Amino acid sequence: AQTIHQWPVAEIKAVGSPLSLGCTIKGKSSPNLYWYWQATGGTLQQLFYSITVGQVESVVQLNLSASRPKDDQFILSTEKLLLSHSGFYLCAWSLGDTQYFGPGTRLLVL
Amino acid sequence: GDQVEQSPSALSLHEGTGSALRCNFTTTMRAVQWFRKNSRGSLINLFYLASGTKENGRLKSAFDSKERYSTLHIRDAQLEDSGTYFCAAEGGDYNQGKLIFGQGTKLSIKP
C-alpha cells in the first residue's frame, strides 16, 4: 500500500484564483513533512517543512502558505495564484533520515 | 547559500558499460540522497548516505563530507537504467531536513 498520497494529480487554474494541494501519509506516526516545488526547467527546492501538528516553517517565500491540521496531513495553499506558481509540487515525509516523496501534483496557472 | 553542482548534465552509455555521476557541494553537508525520477516526475529513492559507501545491485554511491562530494556509479548499464538522476544534500544548518537538489543528470543507455 502506498504510504504517501497527493491530490489532485494535476490542476489548471486561472491567475488570481485560490489553490489548495493536499498530502496525506498513511501508516507513519508523527513524520516530518515537506513541500517541494520545481518550476519547469528549474531545480527542485524546498518550500515548507513541519515536524509536528500545527507547526510549519517556511523556507522560501513564494506567496504560498502551508498548514498541518492533522499528524498525517499537509496542505499547501494560496488565495491568489500567480503565473510563477506553475510547476510540479512534491510532498515528502521522513522519520529522521531518508526523505520519501509522493507522486506529485502538476500545476499550470494561466 | 548552499549549492549543489551535479555533473554531467547528460550522459550517454552503451549497454554493459559504466560511468559515474558526481555532485560537488559548496559547503559541508550532513548527508546525501540519490534519486531517480520516475515516469510521472516523482522521485524514487536510490541511496541515503551520511558517510562512506553503499551498494545496491549495479549501483554504488559514495559520500565524502569533508571533501564535499558524492558520486553515483553505475556498472553494466541496462536499457532500463535510462532516466534522470538527482542528488540532494542535507545541509548542516538549523533547518531540519532541508534537501538541496542538484540539477540532475539525464542518462541514456543505448543498445
Side-chain angles (χ1 to χ4, degrees), chain A residues 9 32 34 36 38 43-44 46 49 51 59 88 90 97-106, chain B residues 33 35 37-38 40-43 45 47-48 86 90 94-103:
Chain A
V9 171
N32 296 335
Y34 312 91
Y36 288 84
Q38 183 177 28
T43 303
L44 201 61
Q46 192 183 75
Y49 72 96
I51 60 174
V59 179
F88 192 53
L90 283 168
D97 294 329
T98 307
Q99 289 188 30
Y100 298 92
F101 285 77
T105 295
R106 202 162 295 278
Chain B
Q33 283 190 240
F35 300 91
K37 192 161 75 169
N38 67 11
R40 259 208 69 194
S42 188
L43 300 174
N45 290 71
F47 293 104
Y48 174 94
F86 293 91
E90 187 174 331
Y94 70 94
N95 184 345
Q96 181 176 347
K98 180 179 181 181
L99 287 180
I100 305 163
F101 279 79
Q103 298 85 352

Side-chain angles (χ1 to χ4, degrees), chain B residues 2-108:
Chain B
D2 297 346
Q3 297 277 349
V4 175
E5 294 294 329
Q6 185 173 344
S7 62
S9 57
L11 179 63
S12 183
L13 296 175
H14 285 288
E15 261 187 307
T17 65
S19 188
L21 315 181
R22 185 179 176 103
C23 285
N24 292 323
F25 315 122
T26 57
T27 188
T28 301
M29 300 295 186
R30 285 188 297 180
V32 68
Q33 283 190 240
W34 283 91
F35 300 91
R36 176 180 169 176
K37 192 161 75 169
N38 67 11
S39 57
R40 259 208 69 194
S42 188
L43 300 174
I44 300 168
N45 290 71
L46 297 177
F47 293 104
Y48 174 94
L49 296 100
S51 65
T53 63
K54 284 187 179 178
E55 192 165 355
N56 185 3
R58 294 178 290 101
L59 298 178
K60 181 177 179 179
S61 184
F63 173 50
D64 190 325
S65 176
K66 185 179 176 184
E67 298 299 322
R68 302 183 181 178
Y69 76 90
S70 178
T71 56
L72 177 69
H73 291 259
I74 299 175
R75 62 174 175 83
D76 188 25
Q78 302 298 305
L79 293 175
E80 59 265 28
D81 293 332
S82 294
T84 303
Y85 293 76
F86 293 91
C87 69
E90 187 174 331
D93 61 16
Y94 70 94
N95 184 345
Q96 181 176 347
K98 180 179 181 181
L99 287 180
I100 305 163
F101 279 79
Q103 298 85 352
T105 297
K106 189 170 183 179
L107 177 64
S108 301

Side-chain angles (χ1 to χ4, degrees), chain A residues 49-88:
Chain A
Y49 72 96
S50 170
I51 60 174
T52 191
V53 175
Q55 184 178 334
V56 177
E57 299 295 330
S58 174
V59 179
V60 174
Q61 288 300 325
L62 280 182
N63 292 309
L64 295 168
S65 60
S67 64
R68 188 170 177 177
K70 300 178 186 178
D71 186 52
D72 61 354
Q73 196 172 74
F74 207 19
I75 307 295
L76 184 71
S77 61
T78 183
E79 292 186 1
K80 281 190 176 182
L81 278 166
L82 306 173
L83 286 174
S84 57
H85 286 139
S86 292
F88 192 53

Side-chain angles (χ1 to χ4, degrees), chain A residues 27-50:
Chain A
K28 305 297 175 185
S29 179
S30 301
N32 296 335
L33 298 177
Y34 312 91
W35 277 112
Y36 288 84
W37 168 73
Q38 183 177 28
T40 304
T43 303
L44 201 61
Q45 56 181 314
Q46 192 183 75
L47 300 178
F48 298 93
Y49 72 96
S50 170

